[in-house]
Structures are given as C-alpha cells and as structure tokens.
Amino acid sequence: QVRLVESGGGLVQPGGTLRLSCAASGFTGTIYYMSWYRQAPGEERELVAIASVDGTINYANSVKGRFTIFRDKNMVYLQIDSLKSEDTAVYYCHAQNSRGGALAWGQGTQVTVSS
C-alpha cells in the first residue's frame, strides 16, 4: 500500500520560511494527485495545495502567493514563505488516484508560527 511520511514542521516566527517534505513509498508507477492539507485546532481539514502528475497546480486562496508545491519523483514538497500565525496547523500529505480516490494520508507534521 501507499505510505506517506511528512517531515519539516516546527516552531517558526511570523514572517519566516519553512519547507515541508513528504516521501511516498509502496507503489510503482506514479500517483496522479499529491496534495497538502492542513488542520488547525477546532477547524476542518483544509486543502492548501494540490499538484497533478502533469504538473497542474492549484492553491487555496488563503495561501496563494506564499505557498509553493513541488513534486520530484516520489517526493512532494511544500515551501511556505511569509508565515503567519494563521498558518499554525498540522499539515498532512495526501495521495489520490486519477479518479480522486484516496490512496493514503501521511501522519501529519506540526507547524507552529509564534513569536
């Protein structure tokens, strides 16, 4: 089965930069959609960025211009610039097939933005 493992979270100051990584394993071929979600305490899980296998990328309006998603082989990255306190959340990597069906979720990595 597909497995996803995130890393790169931590405590950062407002205005800082963070790069999250997600390593996918347990598959052959390609994963059609890889994406990043986040979930803040008491909030619903929110899609923040998604990248299809053909390179098409979409971002949530709230992160557009600050977040960058990038795929390379079995990896997907999320570059976060100009961090805000509102970005504080657990960030999850997600894999979906070409029909949109879920293949796997990562365990999550905590991002805390605080001075």
Side-chain angles (χ1 to χ4, degrees):
Q1 78 280 14
V2 178
R3 295 183 299 278
L4 305 174
V5 179
E6 303 99 330
S7 62
L11 175 63
V12 296
Q13 294 185 345
T17 297
L18 207 57
R19 191 178 193 186
L20 309 182
S21 300
C22 174
S25 62
F27 69 97
T28 58
T30 60
I31 298 172
Y32 198 87
Y33 297 106
M34 296 194 74
S35 58
W36 287 94
Y37 286 71
R38 67 184 180 186
Q39 188 167 22
E43 302 287 334
E44 296 293 313
R45 191 167 296 185
E46 172 193 27
L47 175 67
V48 297
I50 186 166
S52 66
V53 70
D54 68 358
T56 302
I57 294 170
N58 291 101
Y59 297 98
N61 288 334
S62 60
V63 307
K64 201 170 299 182
R66 298 189 300 114
F67 285 34
T68 304
I69 189 171
F70 176 74
R71 295 177 65 165
D72 184 22
K73 296 181 172 64
N74 69 313
M75 303 291 295
V76 61
Y77 304 92
L78 186 69
Q79 177 81 29
I80 311 175
D81 298 316
S82 302
L83 277 155
K84 305 175 179 180
S85 60
E86 307 93 87
D87 297 321
T88 296
V90 178
Y91 284 72
Y92 298 92
C93 184
H94 186 45
Q96 295 166 272
N97 62 27
S98 62
R99 310 292 287 184
L103 296 173
W105 287 95
Q107 82 289 345
T109 185
Q110 176 72 49
V111 173
T112 302
V113 184
S114 177
S115 59

